[in-house]
Amino acid sequence: MRSEWVLPKGHLSYWLRQLRNRASLIAPLRVDGDIVFKSLENIHEVSLDNPALLPSPKEFLLPQQEGMFWTEGERIRPLLNKERRFIFGVRSCDVSALGLLDRFFLEGYGDPFYRERRRNTIFLSIVCNNPDPTCFCIGLGTGPYLEKGFDIQLTDLGDRYFVQAGNRQSQRLVRQWSFLFTTPRKVDYEDQYEVFLSSKARFQKRISLESVREYILAGKVRDSFWESVSERCFECGGCVYECPLCTCFTVTDRSYSFGTERVRLWDTCLFKGFTRMAGGVLPNEKRVLRTKRWYYHKLVHYPDVLGSFGCVGCGRCTVTCPGRIDMATIAIKLRDLQDNGR
Amino acid sequence: MDKILTVCPYCGCGCGLYLHVEEGRLVGVSPSRSHPVNRGSLCVKGWNAYEFVVHPDRLLKPMIREDSSGLRECSWDEALDYVAHRLAEIRDRSGPDSIGILSSAKCTNEENYLIMKFARAVIGTNNIDHCARLCHSSTVGGLAAAFGSGAMTNSISEIRDAKVLFVIGSNTTEQHPMIGMHMLDAVDRGAILIVADPRRPQIAEFAHIHLRHRPGTDVALLMGIMHVIVNEGLVDIDFVRRRTENFDAFEHVLRGFHPQAVESITGVSIEDIRRVARIYAMEKRSMLFYAMGITQHITGVDNVRACANLVMLTGHIGLPSSGINPLRGQNNVQGACDMGALPNVYSGYQTVTDPRARRKFERAWRRKLPTKPGLTVVEMTEAAYEGRLKALYITGENPLLSDPDLNHVKEAMKGLEFLVVQDIFPNETMEYADVVLPACSFAEKDGTFTNTERRVQLLTRAIEPIGDSRPDWEIIADLSGRMGYEMQYRGTYEIMEEIALLTPSYGGMLHHRLRERHGLQWPCPDVGHPGTPFLHRKKFAKGLGTFITVEFRPPAELPDEEYPFILTTGRIYFHYHTGTMCRRTAVLEREEPACYVEINPLDAERLHVRDKFPVKVSSRRGSIVVSARVTERTPEGVVFIPFHYSEAAANLLTNAALDPTVKIPEYKVCAVKVEPVMKEDRRTRPVKVVDLEDLRIT
Amino acid sequence: MAVRERNNIYLPVKAEVVEKRHLSADVSLFTVRPDVPFDYRPGQFFMVSLWGAGEVPISVASLRKEGAKRSQQGGDLIEFCIRKAGKVTSLIHDVEKGGFLWIRGPYGRSFPLEYATGREMLVVGGGIGLAPLRPVIQWALRERNSIKKVSLLYGARTPDDLIFRDDLKRWAESGVNVVLTVDRATDGWDGNLGVVTTLWHKSEIDFREAVSFICGPEVMIRSAINDLFFFGMPEDRIITTLEAHMKCGVGKCGHCYAGRLYICTDGPVFSFREIKEHNLL
């Protein structure tokens, strides 16, 4: 089945309006000086000229707070969210992250809450032609465009979009309104390739996490380095909350007079209470252990277990970290140490 | 999924955040990237600010105390009629000054204004105050006298361009994390950071110089620094001559603070005093920051005056990245003060004793207003204890955890004839309340908050009120109507309009203007004014800046043989004030679930106390049992206890000694003793007795 | 719908408390009958919860009857030994006989009991750490023909803190070499004093040939495995079970993550070799 089309720009809003009739359509909107993902009321409000740095769409699959069960007496009701969603305007780095999240949540013990949300969500991603200064997906192969792993990928060719569908479900979204789309011609492929090239050229940060990993595995990074990093940690949890690949959560029960809700909430390994054992022992009381744990998880363990880094180079931790000890900064610091032969 | 921009309800940074709403429920928070304070970051409290809103403990219905059965739920009509009736009756019988009102630094400007109006126009008393008394009244008093205005003179975004940061008595990275972030940026850009704090807070890790003076010796330290500045000719003579007055009298007093004398008082070496004096004075873009470490002393006002003198002496004020910056604690403590929720001023610090100001408000409110300043928080407690104060109306405060010497406060609350508590959660004070009124949280109402850099920002309602709760301003307006004084506002914007008319510094603060670019900084006198990023440009608010002479006075209670330690209290990163919100947030409560006392390893060794061991800390006023945390953050001879925990309330120990001018209690110094507690026998349940003979298997 | 709910890994099953026994001042043994049968092995754990309180991981303290069939009325009895250590466990302790707990599981790797076949078996426990080892000993007694010898070294803080005293007595009578010790003696105790790792000589075990199962406080585990390794026990046969903060039990919540492994799904049972390789202790 065909999976590539061209969509004239003028047809986009019509298509989106049709999609909105099928499910709730979530897209980046400019609000009060910021860009946020929210449900779309007016199609013309979609903001596509924004820089790459959007909030992570992780919240639609693993919300910051998610009800798990509601109980009254002995009756238990699982709170599965079955809302159908189209999320438009997502970036390639986040789509790459989704691939890993899917593996994490669905392999082995499948997470029913994630599964239900994932099943009902289609991501329409856009090839980045305007990366932010904080972006470094190019060094990780997670952007600025994807060869596979996307639901629907759009490439902005100026007056039209190059549209690629990555699976059957997504192909249907195009074929149902096939009159909006045309068959790609040679020039469309060429233009798409040119967009890829020019996008790649715009990146300001070139970071190889592979060399950082080798450096760490070679035992060259001393604990004093991690000490100096952890001193600057504000313990805000921002890096974890913003990270499209961080998945830790905690579970808490809320008892109301009319029932009990079991909810899960985002949590972070950067807090000492995260690993508190029964009786109050804190295995990671020292902050440096926690900082190191986060970096080791992303740079060392993730590749060992899942075969790719626990980082897609989205650069959000660079924006949010008040202590400026985000992934990119640390990687650059380590590279400099390495270059200086230390 | 909707996302609504609003303002964080925790500290005075006033970070912009989005509340995520799904199907009418709050499900998350994300930071605003364009906000000038937080710029895409948040601290852990901000990130988790959505959770407490739906906590099962929320007060859902008004309650009235029945003599026999405690509090019972009732309708709003019944509750408000009852409150109106009782307050009117007490006012008529014992006079308006037998009623006290506590407003709240957690409420919006509009609400504080209405509560202030309610006290003055409806009840007819100036007995209105709020928790700023306990944190920054020294600032309001001290800086107003010196400059004519008591607030941060600079903007937070100016910090990163500063060359010298002098932080005294502030644990900035933990208590104002987003300001700490800007400080760290400044340091990364080459600024010199000087921290003066007896403890070693996180910010001290980045300091080029850390002065660890003895608690309560701030005046001496600052005077010593100024002595060096004068002696070495580092005074900005032009500035002193053109823009200040009373320098000569001040210099005369200053002569008494020879660095040698200062060294013996403060424990800081002469070299360090000299280094700091030179670094601070010689750079023009020097910013001074202080917080509760300066204000919560019996010499709180003197401490602030000394800081003010220091910036005037060096001319470090009235320029971008150059000024004196009190870091306000509560999200709207600046606003509550601006709105005149204080016993001596109307909104915009127009004094009640000034006949012209009074006439203005009398004409606007169509009521005769009381002429003499009212009682402060701590004085109200005292008056209640003595029976002079009969009724107290508390909005969003918890004196039974936040005030000093709690055993005394408890007695005072018991003595009241009538106590109304209006809050979002049950709190310790509610135990004595006759009526409890459920209010809305920040997510359920609109209005404005003024952050520590004087930025008036719009709060937006994200969800419908939980249960039957109502926004504080609606409750007050309703109650006022029932007491025969109509307050008819269609929304908070109408209240703001009235504020703007009566308050010169808020003249241009209309809601529709605040919607753009994250609010405006006061003074903003008219609707065309762009707001004021830094104060005292070209001239001080009151004309000439005044050098006010200060003398060093030791703390009210010093350690002695029986109580050999100095106790200092404060906040910790994961918690906030009396814990009403953060202790109902799963992650925050998990991080620091129990109270502790920080003690220096050397002291711990002497007392045979080990980390996490239980110890009993006692002062002349009470005692608590907490676990020890052995750390070098706290110097020898000093112990530190966070005051968030009602189950081990640090304020059972603190001293209610007050600053003579503004009546701020001395939370930061009192004398205590520390004793290890033997583990009690844990046996609580009967265990089947097994013959030990049987167990002697080997 | 019903099928999908069954697939919900976080959905607990109701279990009636049919017996509750106090084992020491703060430890009780809950015998529960779940609504559906569970197949579990020594070393595995369940997430035990009360609605409104929360969930905690608790290892099974009983051995599943061999060949137990799935019955219509519900599952077999399962025993959980629970120490009052925090908020959730304190609330669980308020549940009495006839009340309900909610359980899901079993999770984690079990003890590789087959290692013991044809060998001597050394069981080392400290405090409540005896709970997960109890089914190991019960299994060993059931399989006594194929196991050369069983020796138990068990220590607790005080004589009052020794749990499963009836069992200890019964085991000793059945031929297990039971060696007890306490840190602090109370009146009437004239047995061993000190930590279990001072009692190796009383174990009467040939360390080189034996397999050991260890559970207890972290310090005890650490010195026990080091000692045994030093005595020549192969690192694959030094088996212990680790404790960690857990919220999900199925490798999702991240709390128990340690050196690329999840204690809940990759453990909680680990050999000394794995502990060394992944830096788990």
Side-chain angles (χ1 to χ4, degrees):
Chain A
M1 202 185 318
R2 192 150 66 84
S3 61
E4 287 168 338
W5 299 269
V6 167
L7 176 70
K9 265 203 178 159
H11 292 177
L12 177 70
S13 40
Y14 182 87
W15 189 41
L16 289 181
R17 212 163 277 134
Q18 296 304 311
L19 292 180
R20 191 178 53 180
N21 292 336
R22 298 292 173 87
S24 59
L25 179 62
I26 290 157
L29 296 181
R30 206 171 273 280
V31 192
D32 304 304
D34 292 306
I35 301 155
V36 296
F37 272 113
K38 58 189 244 180
S39 298
L40 208 52
E41 299 293 331
N42 298 306
I43 298 291
H44 68 267
E45 285 175 357
V46 180
S47 174
L48 287 179
D49 54 340
N50 42 50
L53 209 66
L54 298 166
S56 156
K58 173 175 85 173
E59 59 176 304
F60 297 102
L61 300 178
L62 178 67
Q64 198 165 358
Q65 162 180 297
E66 177 168 44
M68 299 171 81
F69 300 104
W70 177 260
T71 64
E72 289 170 61
E74 289 178 14
R75 287 202 12 231
I76 308 174
R77 186 159 55 88
L79 302 173
L80 294 170
N81 185 303
K82 298 177 192 297
E83 188 180 337
R84 284 177 56 77
R85 295 184 179 85
F86 295 125
I87 303 185
F88 179 76
V90 178
R91 300 290 160 163
S92 304
C93 51
D94 287 317
V95 176
S96 307
L98 288 173
L100 290 168
L101 286 188
D102 285 352
R103 287 185 59 193
F104 176 79
F105 274 115
L106 302 176
E107 285 177 6
Y109 290 100
D111 186 293
F113 303 101
Y114 180 91
R115 192 194 307 130
E116 202 62 30
R117 283 176 177 268
R118 184 70 181 98
R119 172 152 60 202
N120 289 312
T121 309
I122 291 184
F123 291 88
L124 293 88
S125 56
I126 294 189
V127 168
C128 265
N129 48 15
N130 190 16
D132 242 33
T134 47
C135 292
F136 59 101
C137 60
I138 190 166
L140 287 153
T142 52
Y145 58 90
L146 293 178
E147 299 287 353
K148 58 178 195 312
F150 47 80
D151 291 338
I152 288 184
Q153 175 169 271
L154 281 75
T155 312
D156 187 344
L157 304 182
D159 57 345
R160 64 209 191 280
Y161 289 103
F162 194 93
V163 180
Q164 294 161 285
N167 49 41
R168 284 181 171 276
Q169 210 185 351
S170 315
Q171 283 166 353
R172 274 200 292 276
L173 288 188
V174 174
R175 290 200 302 137
Q176 273 168 334
W177 293 282
S178 55
F179 65 99
L180 297 174
F181 299 82
T182 59
T183 312
R185 289 165 300 142
K186 191 158 172 266
V187 60
D188 297 316
Y189 287 100
E190 285 166 3
D191 285 357
Q192 192 200 19
Y193 181 64
E194 198 171 82
V195 169
F196 289 173
L197 274 187
S198 74
S199 169
K200 280 178 170 177
R202 287 207 180 93
F203 279 83
Q204 295 179 23
K205 280 204 171 98
R206 310 270 160 175
I207 292 167
S208 160
L209 291 185
E210 193 52 52
S211 73
V212 174
R213 173 183 153 85
E214 280 165 12
Y215 194 48
I216 291 174
L217 287 178
K220 297 273 179 58
V221 185
R222 299 210 186 96
D223 272 358
S224 59
F225 174 80
W226 295 116
E227 286 281 358
S228 72
V229 173
S230 75
E231 258 171 23
R232 298 179 64 109
C233 179
F234 279 57
E235 297 190 46
C236 65
C239 49
V240 171
Y241 296 141
E242 291 272 11
C243 180
L245 280 175
C246 274
T247 52
C248 290
F249 61 83
T250 185
V251 179
T252 187
D253 283 9
R254 295 196 189 126
S255 288
Y256 298 89
S257 56
F258 42 94
T260 295
E261 189 180 23
R262 181 160 289 172
V263 293
R264 64 176 177 193
L265 309 162
W266 282 358
D267 201 347
T268 101
C269 56
L270 296 156
F271 298 155
K272 62 174 183 286
F274 185 75
T275 48
R276 176 184 284 111
M277 299 208 281
V281 180
L282 297 166
N284 288 335
E285 194 165 5
K286 277 196 190 150
R287 194 187 285 152
V288 61
L289 294 174
R290 290 172 260 142
T291 314
K292 215 172 136 179
R293 170 182 164 131
W294 191 75
Y295 278 102
Y296 266 67
H297 189 178
K298 299 215 168 290
L299 294 173
V300 179
H301 303 151
Y302 232 108
D304 282 351
V305 177
L306 286 175
S308 58
F309 284 102
C311 171
V312 290
C314 70
R316 292 195 182 92
C317 50
T318 310
V319 175
T320 205
C321 181
R324 315 295 176 218
I325 45 166
D326 50 280
M327 182 62 80
T329 309
I330 294 307
I332 291 169
K333 267 196 185 139
L334 284 174
R335 185 183 64 194
D336 291 348
L337 283 179
Q338 201 172 4
D339 290 349
N340 295 331
R342 256 171 276 161
Chain B
M1 169 72 78
D2 200 7
K3 294 187 182 168
I4 289 126
L5 179 68
T6 189
V7 186
C8 178
Y10 280 105
C11 79
C13 291
C15 299
L17 50 80
Y18 286 89
L19 287 177
H20 302 188
V21 181
E22 205 168 34
E23 289 161 8
R25 267 175 68 129
L26 278 192
V27 293
V29 161
S30 58
S32 161
R33 291 200 164 120
S34 63
H35 196 278
V37 175
N38 56 308
R39 299 184 179 192
S41 305
L42 281 176
C43 75
V44 67
K45 294 183 287 281
W47 272 111
N48 289 285
Y50 64 94
E51 201 192 329
F52 71 86
V53 174
V54 295
H55 194 278
D57 286 352
R58 274 290 296 270
L59 295 170
L60 302 175
K61 284 200 156 57
M63 291 186 281
I64 290 185
R65 183 171 300 281
E66 300 276 310
D67 283 338
S68 51
S69 55
L71 292 164
R72 89 174 147 80
E73 292 187 348
C74 66
S75 71
W76 273 106
D77 275 332
E78 187 186 351
L80 290 180
D81 279 340
Y82 181 63
V83 174
H85 165 75
R86 288 294 307 270
L87 287 180
E89 178 232 332
I90 291 170
R91 178 187 60 194
D92 297 344
R93 176 161 46 85
S94 315
D97 287 338
S98 63
I99 299 174
I101 313 269
L102 289 186
S103 187
S104 172
K106 279 266 167 280
C107 290
T108 62
N109 287 323
E110 289 78 359
E111 286 161 350
N112 274 291
Y113 172 81
L114 275 205
I115 293 166
M116 180 282 289
K117 184 175 176 183
F118 175 76
R120 293 190 160 120
V122 184
I123 304 285
T125 180
N126 280 326
N127 288 346
I128 171 159
D129 204 0
H130 69 284
C131 67
R133 183 65 47 200
L134 309 175
C135 63
H136 265 299
S137 54
S138 325
T139 299
V140 177
L143 290 189
F147 306 148
S149 159
M152 252 178 96
T153 66
N154 298 102
S155 294
I156 292 166
S157 55
E158 289 166 22
I159 295 172
R160 58 205 315 271
D161 295 323
K163 288 287 178 203
V164 174
L165 303 170
F166 185 11
V167 179
I168 178 162
S170 162
N171 182 0
T172 319
T173 50
E174 295 192 30
Q175 307 318 345
H176 297 88
M178 291 305 116
I179 294 179
M181 167 179 84
H182 286 262
M183 289 183 179
L184 225 60
D185 279 349
V187 172
D188 287 348
R189 291 158 61 110
I192 295 178
L193 174 63
I194 303 161
V195 173
D197 199 314
R199 296 174 68 224
R200 189 171 174 82
Q202 191 189 9
I203 183 89
E205 305 290 335
F206 310 102
H208 298 83
I209 303 172
H210 178 202
L211 308 175
R212 292 184 95 164
H213 56 303
R214 298 194 180 103
T217 61
D218 308 81
V219 166
L221 178 68
L222 291 163
M223 291 298 260
I225 291 169
M226 286 187 271
H227 189 279
V228 176
I229 290 173
V230 170
N231 247 14
E232 302 194 356
L234 300 172
V235 177
D236 187 335
I237 296 167
D238 255 359
F239 186 91
V240 170
R241 201 181 293 142
R242 284 162 189 253
R243 302 218 18 207
T244 67
E245 59 187 14
N246 202 32
F247 176 71
D248 294 338
F250 167 72
E251 197 196 7
H252 186 75
V253 178
L254 192 60
R255 284 191 201 133
F257 288 87
H258 193 273
Q260 226 131 29
V262 170
E263 180 178 21
S264 66
I265 295 172
T266 61
V268 176
S269 71
I270 298 179
E271 294 78 65
D272 278 347
I273 294 171
R274 289 207 181 114
R275 269 169 73 206
V276 169
R278 289 169 195 154
I279 292 169
Y280 177 76
M282 283 184 352
E283 183 55 64
K284 207 63 212 163
R285 277 184 281 157
S286 293
M287 292 175 90
L288 178 81
F289 298 87
Y290 70 84
M292 247 90 299
I294 281 291
T295 58
Q296 288 180 336
H297 291 282
I298 54 161
T299 56
V301 176
D302 286 346
N303 289 348
V304 173
R305 286 169 178 159
C307 292
N309 291 343
L310 177 62
V311 300
M312 285 193 288
L313 197 64
T314 48
H316 291 339
I317 192 162
L319 291 169
S321 308
S322 179
I324 177 167
N325 296 289
L327 304 179
R328 310 292 305 248
Q330 295 274 20
N331 55 341
N332 197 35
V333 66
Q334 185 65 54
C337 291
D338 296 345
M339 288 303 110
L342 296 169
N344 58 338
V345 291
Y346 303 114
S347 61
Y349 307 98
Q350 307 171 72
T351 53
V352 298
T353 48
D354 173 8
R356 279 182 53 202
R358 193 164 61 238
R359 235 178 351 260
K360 178 165 99 179
F361 281 90
E362 281 178 342
R363 282 177 58 200
W365 294 347
R366 306 178 317 279
R367 277 285 166 113
K368 202 98 192 96
L369 298 179
T371 55
K372 124 181 158 324
L375 301 176
T376 62
V377 170
V378 188
E379 287 170 329
M380 282 188 217
T381 312
E382 207 47 51
Y385 187 74
E386 290 165 9
R388 284 180 286 129
L389 196 79
K390 310 282 186 208
L392 195 55
Y393 191 118
I394 303 177
T395 43
E397 300 228 331
N398 186 8
L400 261 180
L401 190 53
S402 60
D403 287 13
D405 197 357
L406 291 180
N407 288 326
H408 187 71
V409 181
K410 224 172 265 180
E411 291 302 312
M413 293 294 154
K414 268 187 213 159
L416 286 170
E417 273 181 37
F418 189 56
L419 174 63
V420 183
V421 174
Q422 179 173 318
D423 212 317
I424 61 172
F425 284 116
N427 63 30
E428 287 70 23
T429 312
M430 231 162 256
E431 220 169 285
Y432 301 96
D434 295 284
V435 178
V436 171
L437 302 174
C440 285
S441 77
F442 80 111
E444 300 143 57
K445 63 184 178 188
D446 44 31
T448 56
F449 285 152
T450 307
N451 79 350
T452 184
E453 56 163 0
R454 300 166 278 107
R455 181 180 298 277
V456 183
Q457 308 189 77
L458 211 54
L459 193 71
T460 317
R461 173 191 276 211
I463 54 168
E464 291 299 305
I466 304 272
D468 288 348
S469 66
R470 296 170 68 183
D472 297 82
W473 69 270
E474 269 185 45
I475 302 174
I476 293 292
D478 193 344
L479 177 63
S480 175
R482 287 167 205 257
M483 292 185 75
Y485 185 95
E486 289 300 327
M487 288 189 184
Q488 279 172 335
Y489 302 98
R490 255 182 262 170
T492 48
Y493 64 94
E494 286 193 358
I495 307 175
M496 195 44 138
E497 235 169 33
E498 185 173 319
I499 296 170
L501 280 172
L502 292 167
T503 316
S505 55
Y506 277 64
M509 300 285 184
L510 298 176
H511 277 195
H512 70 269
R513 292 194 70 207
L514 302 175
R515 213 168 288 283
E516 280 159 34
R517 291 196 314 267
H518 304 289
L520 292 164
Q521 287 169 282
W522 65 253
C524 175
D526 56 69
V527 288
H529 196 282
T532 313
F534 62 95
L535 296 180
H536 312 305
R537 185 178 178 185
K538 293 186 180 162
K539 76 183 196 46
F540 283 106
K542 68 185 263 285
L544 289 179
T546 308
F547 279 99
I548 301 172
T549 54
V550 289
E551 283 290 354
F552 171 69
R553 277 177 299 137
E557 192 182 61
L558 284 170
D560 52 26
E561 227 149 77
E562 202 187 346
Y563 297 95
F565 288 96
I566 292 179
L567 165 70
T568 182
T569 65
R571 298 201 272 128
I572 51 181
Y573 175 57
F574 287 96
H575 284 308
Y576 195 79
H577 289 234
T578 63
T580 325
M581 304 185 314
C582 52
R583 296 201 70 195
R584 291 186 173 87
T585 303
V587 170
L588 300 180
E589 173 66 0
R590 180 196 69 201
E591 285 309 303
E592 294 291 357
C595 192
Y596 60 85
V597 54
E598 276 186 7
I599 184 164
N600 187 277
L602 294 170
D603 289 328
E605 202 181 308
R606 249 170 258 139
L607 292 166
H608 305 289
V609 168
R610 275 162 60 190
D611 199 40
K612 300 199 174 66
F613 272 31
V615 293
K616 184 172 160 193
V617 185
S618 342
S619 76
R620 290 183 173 85
R621 291 154 294 279
S623 71
I624 57 175
V625 175
V626 291
S627 80
R629 191 168 289 185
V630 180
T631 167
E632 275 165 1
R633 276 170 69 119
T634 303
E636 266 188 272
V638 176
V639 294
F640 167 85
I641 302 180
F643 68 88
H644 311 290
Y645 300 90
S646 58
E647 64 273 23
N651 284 326
L652 287 166
L653 311 175
T654 48
N655 191 359
L658 302 181
D659 180 286
T661 336
V662 298
K663 321 288 183 202
I664 193 169
E666 187 153 63
Y667 287 110
K668 294 294 182 203
V669 184
C670 76
V672 294
K673 63 180 169 194
V674 180
E675 303 152 291
V677 178
M678 289 303 140
K679 268 202 181 155
E680 278 169 45
D681 198 355
R682 288 174 303 133
R683 233 173 321 177
T684 45
R685 284 170 188 273
V687 179
K688 199 179 98 187
V689 180
V690 175
D691 192 357
L692 284 174
E693 286 298 319
D694 281 353
L695 275 176
R696 204 163 300 134
I697 298 165
T698 61
Chain C
M1 186 67 196
V3 175
R4 186 177 299 167
E5 280 181 21
R6 264 300 194 66
N7 287 341
N8 192 321
I9 49 171
Y10 301 112
L11 185 70
V13 168
K14 195 172 70 178
E16 187 191 349
V17 177
V18 296
E19 197 192 341
K20 179 182 171 191
R21 251 191 323 143
H22 300 301
L23 298 182
S24 78
D26 52 3
V27 177
S28 293
L29 184 71
F30 291 80
T31 308
V32 303
R33 183 189 299 283
D35 280 359
V36 297
F38 288 100
D39 190 1
Y40 59 89
R41 291 163 49 83
Q44 290 190 299
F45 66 96
F46 281 77
M47 295 300 289
V48 177
S49 70
L50 274 183
W51 293 103
E55 290 186 303
V56 281
I58 305 286
S59 47
V60 291
S62 56
L63 183 67
R64 189 160 179 269
K65 279 199 199 72
E66 206 164 41
K69 289 195 193 86
R70 300 200 156 203
S71 64
Q72 292 297 311
Q73 291 83 4
D76 311 315
L77 301 182
I78 309 178
E79 289 176 329
F80 295 111
C81 181
I82 302 177
R83 184 166 69 102
K84 213 194 272 191
K87 270 183 207 152
V88 184
T89 45
S90 295
L91 286 165
I92 289 176
H93 265 249
D94 292 340
V95 177
E96 297 297 337
K97 184 179 168 180
F100 296 103
L101 296 176
W102 295 81
I103 64 171
R104 57 189 177 90
Y107 298 125
R109 278 202 301 180
S110 54
F111 285 113
L113 297 174
E114 63 280 5
Y115 286 17
T117 311
R119 294 185 190 280
E120 296 183 352
M121 179 163 125
L122 172 63
V123 180
V124 186
I128 191 167
L130 185 60
L133 300 172
R134 181 172 174 246
V136 174
I137 298 169
Q138 288 172 340
W139 174 85
L141 290 174
R142 199 168 73 192
E143 307 282 323
R144 60 175 46 163
N145 295 334
S146 60
I147 292 172
K148 280 192 185 157
K149 182 178 201 175
V150 182
S151 191
L152 167 67
L153 303 187
Y154 177 46
R157 236 174 310 177
T158 68
D160 289 331
D161 290 310
L162 292 167
I163 57 172
F164 293 119
R165 299 175 199 184
D166 303 354
D167 291 291
L168 292 172
K169 202 176 155 196
R170 206 173 311 126
W171 295 336
E173 286 162 8
S174 320
V176 177
N177 172 33
V178 177
V179 184
L180 301 179
T181 178
V182 297
D183 295 346
R184 196 153 41 87
T186 46
D187 291 343
W189 178 267
D190 59 359
N192 299 309
L193 271 181
V195 293
V196 281
T197 45
T198 57
L199 297 174
W200 298 124
H201 58 286
K202 297 198 179 178
S203 68
E204 298 166 16
I205 288 278
D206 177 0
F207 296 116
R208 284 164 209 275
E209 292 306 317
V211 53
S212 65
F213 298 103
I214 305 162
C215 183
E218 204 176 292
V219 274
M220 188 215 90
I221 294 180
R222 207 179 306 212
S223 62
I225 55 182
N226 283 323
D227 286 0
L228 290 172
F229 184 62
F230 179 75
F231 296 148
M233 194 177 281
E235 47 190 16
D236 279 332
R237 290 209 300 269
I238 306 176
I239 317 277
T240 184
T241 166
L242 299 180
E243 185 201 346
H245 184 123
M246 284 175 201
K247 285 290 178 189
C248 72
V250 291
K252 305 292 181 214
C253 74
H255 288 260
C256 67
Y257 188 74
R260 106 176 53 154
L261 298 181
Y262 291 93
I263 304 285
C264 60
T265 49
D266 297 308
V269 171
F270 292 101
S271 69
F272 186 34
R273 177 194 295 281
E274 291 162 323
I275 286 173
K276 273 202 294 196
E277 187 187 335
H278 299 292
N279 241 331
L280 296 177
L281 266 178

